[in-house]
Amino acid sequence: MERITLHDKSFVPYIPYEKIMSSIDAVADKINADFKDTDEIPVLLCVLNGSIMFTSEIMKRLEFDCELVSTRLSSYTGTSSSGNVKQALGLTADISGKTVIVIEDIVDTGNTIVELDHILKEKGAKDIRMCTMLLKPDVYDKDIRLDYVAMEIDNSFIVGFGLDYNQLGRNYKDIYILEK
Ligand code: IMP
Ligand code: MG
């Protein structure tokens, strides 16, 4: 792992792949404990694009039947949230009457999950669980319960493992932080 440059900014190594894998192991264990012995067939909701790698890692570890649905929301431009969340792609399948486990890459202000919660309730979800790879606890100020959190980080801008800076950086298998 070494420093990378994306557009006009430099990023330095922050969370190595091995650490990402072990925290996903731990969070998948919790999801398995909650669903393995139930008759429920939950829907995993992959929030594109950032959550694509995390969703696949979670799915590989689940030991119960589940479905996969995707959607795409966007609020971030550059390195900060615009506060204005737009649904760029509707849900790819019907989720009414189903338990939905939202799989997010990162929860920052929480605006995105508030909007998702609203959309899922409107579409008739039976139950909604929130799972995120990363949480910025110093920034998150919403009331929605975060059921499964793999890692907590400081309030800084990161890329890699699905996360982007203006669409670049998603392909790195480690996570990098904006260089000060
Ligand atoms: P929120 O709506 O403020 O919680 O932001 C959530 C969305 O913003 C995430 O799904 C990401 O796509 C994006 N985002 C938030 N923080 C970062 C970051 O540090 N790097 C890259 N994208 C981020
Ligand atoms: Mg993004």
Side-chain angles (χ1 to χ4, degrees):
M1 278 175 98
E2 47 192 47
R3 163 208 255 219
I4 58 170
T5 302
L6 302 169
H7 300 294
D8 58 334
K9 299 199 189 307
S10 295
F11 296 83
V12 291
Y14 186 48
I15 309 175
Y17 179 76
E18 293 68 26
K19 170 74 183 25
I20 301 171
M21 289 301 113
S22 58
S23 40
I24 298 177
D25 288 342
V27 89
D29 283 349
K30 285 189 191 149
I31 304 175
N32 278 324
D34 287 354
F35 288 93
K36 223 168 101 172
D37 300 318
T38 67
D39 293 331
E40 200 88 57
I41 299 183
V43 170
L44 302 183
L45 180 63
C46 174
V47 187
L48 299 170
N49 292 318
S51 187
I52 196 155
M53 280 201 198
F54 180 50
T55 301
S56 83
E57 292 298 334
I58 287 284
M59 281 189 83
K60 286 190 246 181
R61 291 165 173 79
L62 298 184
E63 296 163 2
F64 52 88
D65 289 340
C66 55
E67 297 178 10
L68 177 65
V69 173
S70 300
T71 189
R72 188 157 81 83
L73 283 87
S74 60
S75 66
Y76 247 68
T77 41
T79 61
S80 63
S81 173
S82 71
N84 176 16
V85 182
K86 279 180 281 216
Q87 194 179 22
L89 170 73
L91 300 179
T92 57
D94 181 21
I95 54 90
S96 64
K98 295 182 177 171
T99 293
V100 179
I101 308 174
V102 174
I103 312 286
E104 257 287 28
D105 54 353
I106 186 163
V107 173
D108 183 356
T109 62
N111 291 329
T112 303
I113 58 165
V114 166
E115 180 61 19
L116 272 170
D117 185 70
H118 173 76
I119 292 167
L120 293 171
K121 282 179 177 146
E122 200 168 59
K123 298 282 183 191
K126 184 177 103 183
D127 189 15
I128 303 167
R129 305 284 176 96
M130 292 290 172
C131 172
T132 186
M133 176 168 72
L134 296 148
L135 169 67
K136 297 180 188 174
D138 298 340
V139 190
Y140 182 62
D141 61 357
K142 306 298 187 290
D143 293 328
I144 294 176
R145 188 186 65 242
L146 300 171
D147 302 278
Y148 312 107
V149 178
M151 294 173 280
E152 295 192 349
I153 59 166
D154 292 338
N155 180 21
S156 34
F157 187 76
I158 57 161
V159 293
F161 209 85
L163 291 138
D164 71 301
Y165 165 50
N166 284 346
Q167 302 308 325
L168 296 186
R170 297 193 196 275
N171 54 307
Y172 289 90
K173 73 188 201 9
D174 306 287
I175 291 175
Y176 294 77
I177 190 167
L178 185 62
E179 192 172 39
K180 299 242 160 66

